[in-house]
Amino acid sequence: RIGDIIKQSDADIIGLQEVDNHFSERSNFEDQAKWLAKYLGMHYTYAANLDFEPLQVGQHRRQYGTAVLSKYPILSSENHLLTNIPYPVNPTEQRGLLETVINLKGNHVHFYNTHLDNKRAEQRDLQIREILEIAKLDEGSKVFVGDFNATPESSEMIKMTVQFNDVFNVLGQNGDYTIPVENPNRRIDYIFTIDDIKISSAEVIKTNASDHLPITAELILTKKSHFN
């Protein structure tokens, strides 16, 4: 289902969250990122935020995290594990920021994919601060995608929108909600850009393929005279 939705969207670069890699029976111990990349004929990279021992000796490690699929070559990738506060009660799950550099017809675009904490604003606030610090180290065009688990007016998301352009907000589409799938009532999934990227359009795709509605955007980059 996911592969077909991506194919129908005709997206060039995709960020996926909650991706299993030989994780458990729930996904038939499949390497989901590799399977999707092969199905779609795309390049891919995978980042494990959870990494467990195999159930039996000699089997693959059981991993869970994020992935990036791309029609264009992925030049490099790095997973930044974000700080995980050790709460003694109801602890949170390890989260990360998958950073890739993609060669988009000569433009070296920094494409980031993340999935932030779903339990505490305090944790998300810290994670967004870290994401902003990581992004400062990179020059050139930048795109951020992910499930931020927070609505646009929240204090943690305001920190993000002060620095980067929230695609749906720029287009006046704040009411394009992404969760729940049936009768969605809030927006917690985002695409962010920097000023040198023109925002043409954006859309929420109606589908029951996942527990969130996927989002897409058409972005226009100015051809660079040299690599970034």
Side-chain angles (χ1 to χ4, degrees):
R1 294 198 307 270
I2 299 294
D4 287 340
I5 290 295
I6 293 172
K7 188 177 292 186
Q8 292 162 19
S9 76
D10 198 31
D12 295 313
I13 305 172
I14 300 100
L16 298 172
Q17 302 84 43
E18 300 190 26
V19 183
D20 284 357
N21 180 21
H22 308 294
F23 190 74
S24 71
E25 291 181 355
R26 72 182 183 188
S27 50
N28 200 29
F29 292 95
E30 185 69 68
D31 182 340
Q32 292 184 319
K34 182 178 180 179
W35 189 98
L36 285 167
K38 182 178 179 180
Y39 182 72
L40 296 164
M42 288 184 165
H43 305 278
Y44 82 100
T45 189
Y46 179 77
N49 294 324
L50 301 183
D51 187 9
F52 300 136
E53 295 287 340
L55 295 179
Q56 296 181 12
V57 176
Q59 292 183 337
H60 294 283
R61 295 188 66 82
R62 299 183 300 118
Q63 298 177 328
Y64 169 82
T66 57
V68 169
L69 305 173
S70 175
K71 291 181 180 178
Y72 301 99
I74 299 173
L75 302 178
S76 64
S77 66
E78 181 178 0
N79 192 36
H80 304 272
L81 294 179
L82 303 174
T83 297
N84 191 34
I85 300 171
Y87 295 102
V89 178
N90 195 19
T92 57
E93 180 183 288
Q94 177 66 58
R95 307 289 175 154
L97 174 72
L98 172 54
E99 175 187 359
T100 64
V101 178
I102 298 174
N103 184 359
L104 208 164
K105 298 181 179 179
N107 284 42
H108 288 191
V109 177
H110 294 268
F111 185 86
Y112 308 83
N113 179 25
T114 194
H115 182 198
L116 299 190
D117 185 65
N118 66 326
K119 295 180 179 179
R120 296 175 176 90
E122 175 192 38
Q123 182 84 293
R124 289 191 297 273
D125 187 272
L126 175 61
Q127 291 167 347
I128 286 177
R129 289 173 186 270
E130 290 182 312
I131 288 171
L132 294 174
E133 287 300 313
I134 292 166
K136 280 183 183 178
L137 302 175
D138 300 321
E139 295 183 359
S141 298
K142 301 172 187 176
V143 177
F144 299 80
V145 302
D147 172 3
F148 284 72
N149 271 312
T151 52
E153 73 281 358
S154 63
S155 61
E156 61 267 35
M157 291 310 302
I158 289 172
K159 290 181 177 64
M160 193 76 189
T161 54
V162 165
Q163 298 290 326
F164 298 101
N165 298 318
D166 175 354
V167 166
F168 280 78
N169 181 56
V170 169
L171 294 172
Q173 297 175 213
N174 268 323
D176 288 7
Y177 301 140
T178 60
I179 193 171
V181 171
E182 297 294 335
N183 301 314
N185 57 27
R186 61 196 185 278
R187 183 165 72 92
I188 64 174
D189 304 279
Y190 298 85
I191 300 171
F192 290 98
T193 67
I194 61 173
D195 289 339
D196 73 343
I197 297 176
K198 181 181 177 182
I199 301 167
S200 178
S201 63
E203 178 187 2
V204 176
I205 299 174
K206 303 300 182 182
T207 175
N208 62 357
S210 177
D211 63 334
H212 290 228
L213 296 175
I215 57 175
T216 65
E218 183 176 348
L219 308 176
I220 301 171
L221 279 74
T222 302
K223 175 72 174 179
K224 302 294 184 182
S225 60
H226 57 83
F227 289 161
N228 294 323

